[in-house]
Amino acid sequence: MTNFSTIYKLSLVAVIYLVQACSCSCPVVECWFVQEKVGRGGLTAATSQEKTLLYISTDEHRHTAESQRAPSDDRVYFFSDPAGTLCLPSPPKGLIKKPQCEINPFLPQPSDLRWVAPLTESTLSPIYLQADWFTTSHQDFKQEQTISSITRAPTASKEHNVILSVTSKTLSVKSRLGEPVLLDCGFWVDPSSPLSGSGFAVEWRYQFRGDGRLVLAYDGKTDRLADTQEEGATLDFEGVHEKGNASLILQEAKVRHSGMYICTVFLPYLMAQVTVELEIVEPPSLSIYPSPLPLIVPGHTLVVQCEASGFAPLSLELSWEFKGADGKSRSLGSGSITGHRQAWDGTFGQSTRLELDTAKQDLGRGGEVTCVAVHLGGTRRASATLNVIGFSAPSIEDSMAMVGVALVLYGLIKFVSWTFISSGSDGGDKQDKKDK
Ligand SMILES: *[C@@H]1O[C@H](CO)[C@@H](O)[C@H](O)[C@H]1NC(C)=O
């Protein structure tokens, strides 16, 4: 009996423990703690990198228990994140790919940017800033979502509070030309922080191969949009204030919009940013020249040209196929491909020339000539009908048949002319008699 009650108690404890463990829905995140090491004399700044574990919980009080349980030899941080914004889905069991994560020390400071400066101009830097601050950035295992956050811990403590988080659910966006584009960016501010309620600013910046430009900058404190050059780029201003929805809306996708976009959210003294990639993908339109294809005579060649236009990005594979009377398709190679051209709208054009030669390519009586373009936006095809006139060189059987036909014809002609001549001379005799 005593044995039974012990087992019963133990299992009850186990169940309670399991339930507790499950309430922590957020998987532990493996992270790199990266900081700059100042070398001797302060001249060389190298970085050091240490493995760190992040325990993220939406419940503030759970950490006290966890921090006592956690192994002491690892670097460990406990994040309390009441809104649950840092929680990314864990990979399915067996998948080794871990979320990419980096944590760095962060130094709160006012910003000089015109659209951010109003946030700090009236207040002295508060005592609240005197703590340990970190910036953390991590991505889910599918590389779809990204989160960047600013956390604060009382000096030398391992228990952090998330003060600001910026997230994007669209790490990489593809769009067709001319379509509206939405680049997702959202933020959350700890409402219990003294920095909340003193305004925010949102900035979208574009970056492509070293070329950068400001797309949009919004000062949420004074509700002012900075002058920018980018046409057709906007925010949902109501959504920014009410839901922290800082998503960028591009009304019409253009080729020059391809690149990296950085969404930065500023609070007084703090900032966090996420990067989103946009790629404009437009498949080519194809046309074959000359159209229609002229008849081709055996022994002659015909040059056909296929023009691909209006595509982006640049990479394109052009080739030719031929389908004869037997219905089977075969490759005619890629032809001679020209260099690419760029149109006014940034899209690309390229063409290929193919020499059709009845002697070399076994084109029979003709068939269908197809130009194939393989592109990131999809494969496109264009076809034209090819007609070969006349027949091919006669075979031996054909020659013998022709000789036979010729003989028969000869005989026939002989016979007809003989009957004609004989009947003609008969008629002539009668005519002669009448005349007489
Ligand atoms: C943010 O705003 C855009 C534009 O109004 C909307 O399409 C999008 O669904 C919003 N995102 C969220 C998470 O509410």
Side-chain angles (χ1 to χ4, degrees), residues 93-400:
K93 281 210 168 70
L95 195 78
I96 302 168
K97 219 170 170 185
K98 285 179 185 139
Q100 296 187 346
C101 175
E102 189 176 316
I103 178 165
N104 316 89
F106 179 81
L107 185 67
Q109 54 190 328
S111 165
D112 295 336
L113 289 168
R114 191 157 39 89
W115 43 91
V116 186
L119 299 180
T120 46
E121 66 191 2
S122 55
T123 51
L124 288 169
S125 111
I127 207 111
Y128 173 76
L129 296 181
Q130 289 170 15
D132 286 346
W133 292 85
F134 290 96
T135 172
T136 307
S137 146
H138 69 294
Q139 293 170 8
D140 70 332
F141 69 98
K142 285 189 201 154
Q143 309 267 296
E144 281 169 0
Q145 299 185 42
T146 182
I147 299 175
S148 189
S149 63
I150 300 290
T151 58
R152 176 186 184 273
T155 306
S157 156
K158 286 180 169 183
E159 291 176 34
H160 288 238
N161 287 306
V162 176
I163 307 301
L164 167 68
S165 68
V166 179
T167 60
S168 177
K169 293 185 172 63
T170 57
L171 254 177
S172 153
V173 178
K174 282 192 171 63
S175 169
R176 292 280 301 261
L177 213 56
E179 284 180 353
V181 178
L182 183 79
L183 302 179
D184 183 66
C185 178
F187 65 97
W188 178 84
V189 183
D190 177 8
S192 69
S193 162
L195 298 181
S196 102
S198 6
F200 65 87
V202 173
E203 179 196 283
W204 276 96
R205 205 166 257 290
Y206 168 87
Q207 213 82 45
F208 183 69
R209 292 189 189 146
D211 166 31
R213 62 173 184 259
L214 184 67
V215 176
L216 186 144
Y218 176 65
D219 171 358
K221 189 179 182 183
T222 59
D223 187 28
R224 233 179 264 162
L225 203 57
D227 306 327
T228 48
Q229 305 300 312
E230 192 68 50
E231 258 177 60
T234 183
L235 293 179
D236 174 359
F237 296 104
E238 223 170 90
V240 176
H241 286 276
E242 283 169 11
K243 292 180 277 178
N245 181 349
S247 303
L248 180 72
I249 303 159
L250 297 174
Q251 273 149 12
E252 200 185 315
K254 302 199 166 82
V255 174
R256 66 184 176 85
H257 288 148
S258 279
M260 305 297 284
Y261 289 78
I262 303 163
C263 170
T264 312
V265 175
F266 297 89
L267 290 187
Y269 308 99
L270 308 181
M271 58 162 261
Q273 55 187 203
V274 292
T275 303
V276 177
E277 190 186 3
L278 172 65
E279 190 172 18
I280 307 301
V281 177
E282 185 69 20
S285 323
L286 298 184
S287 38
I288 292 185
Y289 299 105
S291 175
L293 293 182
L295 298 175
I296 175 169
V297 180
H300 286 74
T301 57
L302 173 66
V303 173
V304 284
Q305 184 154 341
C306 173
E307 222 174 279
S309 58
F311 62 92
L314 177 58
S315 167
L316 183 75
E317 250 176 68
L318 287 170
S319 63
W320 293 93
E321 279 174 8
F322 177 76
K323 189 159 89 180
D326 57 358
K328 278 185 197 147
S329 278
R330 60 191 163 85
S331 170
L332 293 179
S334 58
S336 53
I337 294 174
T338 62
H340 67 270
R341 310 169 299 280
Q342 194 162 19
W344 61 273
D345 63 353
T347 60
F348 296 98
Q350 198 164 31
S351 54
T352 169
R353 276 171 85 251
L354 179 72
E355 207 173 78
L356 289 170
D357 188 332
T358 50
K360 286 185 207 151
Q361 283 155 327
D362 183 25
L363 302 173
R365 284 160 193 275
E368 205 176 56
V369 178
T370 304
C371 169
V372 185
V374 180
H375 187 258
L376 188 64
T379 299
R380 294 288 184 272
R381 291 164 176 275
S383 298
T385 306
L386 177 76
N387 283 308
V388 180
I389 49 167
F391 16 70
S392 41
S395 62
I396 293 175
E397 289 91 332
D398 286 343
S399 317
M400 285 169 69

Side-chain angles (χ1 to χ4, degrees), residues 428-436:
D429 288 351
K430 277 171 194 163
Q431 199 75 32
D432 282 351
K433 279 167 192 167
K434 268 184 189 167
D435 286 352
K436 279 170 191 171

